[in-house]
Amino acid sequence: MAYKLQTLEDGSGLCVGTIIRFETVTILLDPAWSNTKISYEKAVTFWSTIIPDVDIILISQSTADCLGAYPLLFFNFLSHFISRIHVYATLPITNLGRVATIDLYVSGGIAGPYESNEMDIEDIESAFDFIEALKFSQDVDLRSRYDGLSMTAYNSGYSPGSSIWCITNYSEKLLYARNWNHSKSTILNAAALLDSSGKSLSALTRPSSVITSLTHFGSSRPLKRRVNMYNEALRKALVGGGSVIIPCEIGGNFLDLLAMTHNFLYERSNNGKQSKVPILLVSYAKGRTVTYAQSMLEWLSSSVIKKWENRNGRSPFDVNSILKPVTPKEVLKQKGPAICFVSEVDSCISETMKNIAEISNVTVLLTSNRENNQPVLDKMKGEWLEQSSGKLQEGTNISYSTTAEFEIVNLKPLKDESLTKFNDRIDRRRKERKEEEIALRKESKLSGSFAHSFGEGQGVLNNENDGTIGSANNDDDDEDDEDDDDLIDILKGKGKNNKVQEIPMDTIISSNSSIKNRMFHFKPVKHKIDEYGSFVNIDQFLPKEEDGQNENSVGNQKRYVGDDEDENGDSYDALNRSKKQKKDKQKEKENEERKKKEKMKFDNLEYLDAKNHPCLRTFQKDTATISCQLSFINLDNIVDQRSTSVIWPTLKPRKIILLGSKDMQDENVMSILNKREIEIVNIPYNENVEFDTIVKTLDISLDVELDQSLRWQRIGEGHTVAHVIGKLVKEAPSQKSGSTRSKLVLKPITNSNKRHTNGSLSIGDVRLVEVRRKLLELNHKAEFKGEGTLVVDGQVAVRKVSDGETVINGFPSDIFDTVKSTITDMLAKV
């Protein structure tokens, strides 16, 4: 089976997506969009010719250069998504992708309370709610629908949830690795390309193609050394009461940098030094990234979680007390030293960099080696590299001063007629959007093609260990009104299935009705369930508060207190207890309200609602002189050049397909891969390149005489195998069959001298439990020790490296030969 591959370019000069076309399915990977180079309208026009053919969208990273276009696609081409398109990604990509795209779209005025608004924040949220979240190594089984197609996400080690996609069908195995990291980072495990022994993962070996990029590489220095450089850079900046500005990708390396910063402040406080240094975050999504991270600890390295649990029982992201979301203007108000992370979107970077011109004693710390698409940051990094010329160590400060021009966004509130027109437009768009969505859902249900989170999954999500866990196909949920139920209302007893809200209707039974229709309509109670069980209303298990009764009792005590009661004090005690309880309750209520306000300030995005004080965005050129200390440390969680040239050949791919233009690829790595006899393919933008499969399927019949001479051997689980040597002959079709196709027949070789009688291949499954049983029958001492290793008589060790490889360790001896023969006797030789 052949497949076609196309790299997409929308006029920005960058790769904004990859299309893989099989015979029956089209897959889109990582739809991106750069709002600084391509306008919203041009992006919609570009994708309008591509989306009608797409069946599946896979997202591998939570950064804007991998999913920036996804909310745009979902909003403008909703009918295709509801009727046909499936979107798959891991849970962290779904959560962090919201934050990255909110920053991107608000920065460009596409979302938010701006006159240029094209969509609401809720529309972005809906797009990511639509994604079917996966775990690592969880199969998306679409074999029955798309000719053997299945897809699996493996950890890429770049950011939480980032994935290497393995796409397979009956004849092809494709690996898509946009960004990956071969070693552990501060909070993440290494990419799942190699197993614990350093060998390539068996599920990913021998792919037809590896789709990747050789344009961006990380540092070859050890992580521990770079972290020490980072800590030293922070220490130098804070010693003199200065502040640090760190530009970062909110959906990328921000969490890694935040964990390192938190660790730095923790160690600093243990050493008795100043630790009350606030962490400022300039991001339109406020602190929502940290809120998501606190609920995704299982996706991080277990050693990191254990480290923080041993410290204070908290996570590296429990920084709500010191992390403060701020606007670029509020950075100026900070008195004293601070560490400020700035989201790498155009308006945040421009305004923050302009404002630091008014702050003295500032250090700008750059942590990424990639192109930022931000002229100010690219110029800074170029200046540092030019001054260092290979002589300065990373983390060294240089004095930097330049006069730069910034494009600053000014906001002018809409008033009178402009405000009225804007509100009418937003109301009309929301109403039309809701009506369109309801109509599309009903239409897709009637046609039976809607197959997403509403209970009719076309694909089956299989877990590697637990079997089928995926899209919850429940026959009880097929009714049309099931999907319109609000889960919260159901739990509170306000749903459509509540008996109080049912509308009674008469039932007419005519004399000619069939037997099955001669009954009253019965509507069974529906229950919301998932793989963990039924949804319940937790409030029904909580005791009801009797505030009114308590108040009445207190009032009665006040009313009937007399002289006799004053002497014993019983009524006074009861009255004081009631007052204290009421006071404590009031204090608890105030604390809850205060925490609620703090949380809303921390990650609440209601201020981005389109109708919340809408403004007109205007731009003006502003010039400012930046004078600061500048430092650079490559902290990208991405593979280095040497490891790229070593690891890919271990997987033994037939070819490597490169994303992006040929001029951007690293020639040194390409030459090394060519020497390893790996074909390198560069694909021009927006051109369909067809790749023919190397594996061919042949329909071969066995001759009757040869079939009778075969010696079949059983290898377990109902499988048998035989060694076949024959001559392939093409026979003309017989007249009786009526077929016009030739027939391939394997016939016995007449010359017996050319036969190979010795078996050259052993086939079967080695089960160490069975090996142990046989050795015990031979009076040997065999026992399992660490990591599933079988030790025989304390001299020979047997362990399974993988499903197809068993290793016997020991010195040559009778025991070694006995163990070896026991294992080989379990295998069939062909």
Side-chain angles (χ1 to χ4, degrees), residues 257-386:
L257 296 173
L258 180 63
M260 284 191 284
T261 304
H262 192 190
N263 185 71
F264 165 77
L265 296 177
Y266 179 86
E267 296 290 348
R268 187 179 174 88
S269 63
N270 284 348
N271 294 331
K273 298 181 180 180
Q274 180 185 5
S275 61
K276 299 294 184 180
V277 178
I279 301 176
L280 308 180
L281 176 59
V282 181
S283 169
Y284 292 111
K286 293 186 175 180
R288 182 173 284 196
T289 308
V290 180
T291 303
Y292 284 137
Q294 291 173 350
S295 62
M296 300 186 304
L297 300 181
E298 68 273 13
W299 295 86
L300 308 182
S301 171
S302 58
S303 60
V304 175
I305 304 304
K306 185 176 180 180
K307 175 182 177 180
W308 280 93
E309 286 178 349
N310 292 335
R311 285 179 168 178
N312 52 14
R314 297 180 178 181
S315 76
F317 308 117
D318 193 2
V319 291
N320 291 14
S321 59
I322 58 176
L323 181 66
K324 300 177 182 179
V326 297
T327 64
K329 290 184 176 63
E330 290 174 336
V331 174
L332 295 172
K333 301 177 182 178
Q334 174 63 33
K335 304 299 181 183
I339 301 172
C340 182
F341 291 98
V342 185
S343 176
E344 285 185 358
V345 292
D346 189 54
S347 57
C348 283
I349 288 292
S350 297
E351 191 168 352
T352 302
M353 288 301 170
K354 174 185 173 295
N355 290 338
I356 68 171
E358 303 179 27
I359 307 176
S360 59
N361 199 5
V362 174
T363 299
V364 177
L365 178 58
L366 305 179
T367 59
S368 177
N369 196 32
R370 70 186 185 282
E371 293 294 330
N372 301 89
N373 295 323
Q374 299 292 339
V376 178
L377 300 182
D378 292 337
K379 185 177 180 181
M380 285 183 168
K381 186 176 65 177
E383 179 70 19
W384 191 92
L385 295 174
E386 183 179 349

Side-chain angles (χ1 to χ4, degrees), residues 176 239 272-273 429 457 461 474 488 494 551 581 653 688 813:
Y176 177 85
V239 162
K273 298 181 180 180
R429 187 183 70 197
L461 306 181
N474 299 311
I488 297 178
K494 301 178 182 179
E551 291 177 359
Q581 290 175 358
N688 271 319
S813 61

Side-chain angles (χ1 to χ4, degrees), residues 559-829:
R559 189 177 302 115
Y560 297 110
V561 171
D563 296 335
D564 296 337
E565 295 171 336
D566 292 348
E567 295 177 0
N568 55 42
D570 291 341
S571 295
Y572 277 145
D573 290 341
L575 180 60
N576 290 334
R577 282 197 303 269
S578 299
K579 287 182 177 180
K580 187 176 183 301
Q581 290 175 358
K582 189 174 182 181
K583 186 177 181 181
D584 291 342
K585 189 173 181 180
Q586 181 67 23
K587 186 175 181 181
E588 182 180 352
K589 187 177 180 181
E590 291 176 355
N591 289 335
E592 290 179 357
E593 291 179 355
R594 178 177 56 82
K595 291 180 179 179
K596 186 177 180 181
K597 289 180 180 179
E598 290 179 355
K599 185 176 180 181
M600 290 185 66
K601 186 178 180 181
F602 185 75
D603 63 2
N604 186 273
L605 303 183
E606 291 182 0
Y607 82 103
L608 292 177
D609 183 80
K611 300 178 70 174
N612 184 14
H613 305 294
C615 301
L616 175 66
R617 281 166 49 101
T618 59
F619 301 88
Q620 72 175 37
K621 299 288 184 179
D622 202 347
T623 303
T625 300
I626 300 176
S627 182
C628 63
Q629 293 293 309
L630 179 62
S631 184
F632 169 73
I633 305 172
N634 189 351
L635 291 172
D636 283 332
N637 293 332
I638 197 166
V639 66
D640 59 48
Q641 293 177 328
R642 180 180 177 277
S643 298
T644 301
S645 59
V646 170
I647 294 176
W648 284 136
T650 63
L651 297 181
K652 300 177 181 178
R654 295 172 189 164
K655 61 174 66 69
I656 292 181
I657 302 174
L658 300 181
L659 302 173
S661 63
K662 185 177 181 179
D663 299 336
M664 299 171 60
Q665 310 299 330
D666 189 279
E667 295 183 358
N668 184 37
V669 177
M670 291 174 62
S671 63
I672 295 175
L673 295 175
N674 282 324
K675 291 178 181 178
R676 301 287 184 91
E677 298 182 352
I678 298 177
E679 182 184 358
I680 305 295
V681 181
N682 286 98
I683 299 179
Y685 283 133
N686 298 328
E687 290 187 14
N688 271 319
V689 179
E690 184 171 352
F691 297 92
D692 292 325
T693 180
I694 298 176
V695 179
K696 301 293 183 182
T697 302
L698 301 177
D699 198 3
I700 302 175
S701 301
L702 288 178
D703 184 77
V704 177
E705 180 183 352
L706 180 62
D707 186 22
Q708 293 176 353
S709 65
L710 296 180
R711 185 170 64 88
W712 295 94
Q713 302 176 72
R714 185 177 299 278
I715 60 173
E717 296 185 3
H719 299 291
T720 55
V721 65
H723 187 204
V724 182
I725 298 176
K727 178 175 62 176
L728 195 62
V729 178
K730 181 184 288 187
E731 292 185 349
S734 62
Q735 297 180 354
K736 295 182 180 180
S737 64
S739 174
T740 59
R741 297 181 59 185
S742 299
K743 184 180 180 182
L744 296 176
V745 180
L746 191 65
K747 294 192 174 184
I749 299 176
T750 56
N751 187 357
S752 59
N753 294 331
K754 294 184 179 180
R755 291 196 178 188
H756 301 278
T757 56
N758 295 329
S760 59
L761 181 64
S762 298
I763 298 178
D765 183 24
V766 177
R767 300 180 66 247
L768 295 184
V769 175
E770 185 66 17
V771 174
R772 178 176 179 272
R773 185 185 65 79
K774 290 186 177 183
L775 291 172
L776 290 175
E777 291 176 355
L778 297 175
N779 296 323
H780 289 285
K781 182 180 179 182
E783 55 185 350
F784 286 103
K785 295 202 173 177
E787 299 181 356
T789 301
L790 179 65
V791 180
V792 183
D793 291 344
Q795 301 181 35
V796 180
V798 184
R799 61 189 179 91
K800 291 186 68 174
V801 177
S802 62
D803 292 339
E805 184 176 2
T806 302
V807 178
I808 306 174
N809 294 326
F811 293 102
S813 61
D814 293 338
I815 297 176
F816 184 90
D817 295 338
T818 301
V819 174
K820 183 178 178 181
S821 61
T822 301
I823 293 175
T824 54
D825 290 343
M826 298 173 63
L827 304 175
K829 296 179 177 58

Side-chain angles (χ1 to χ4, degrees), residues 528-543:
K528 281 282 185 179
I529 62 173
D530 65 359
E531 59 266 28
Y532 298 104
S534 302
F535 288 95
V536 297
N537 183 8
I538 300 178
D539 293 339
Q540 65 182 337
F541 300 108
L542 300 177

Side-chain angles (χ1 to χ4, degrees), residues 479-492:
E479 289 81 353
D480 290 345
D481 62 339
E482 178 67 12
D483 301 329
D484 297 329
D485 287 336
D486 185 1
L487 180 57
I488 297 178
D489 288 344
I490 292 177
L491 297 181
K492 292 182 178 179

Side-chain angles (χ1 to χ4, degrees), residues 4 71 91 103 314 324 338 385 424 458 506 509 548 628 630 824:
K4 296 180 180 180
L91 179 63
D103 265 19
R314 297 180 178 181
K324 300 177 182 179
L385 295 174
D424 291 343
Q458 294 174 354
D506 295 332
I509 302 177
C628 63
L630 179 62
T824 54

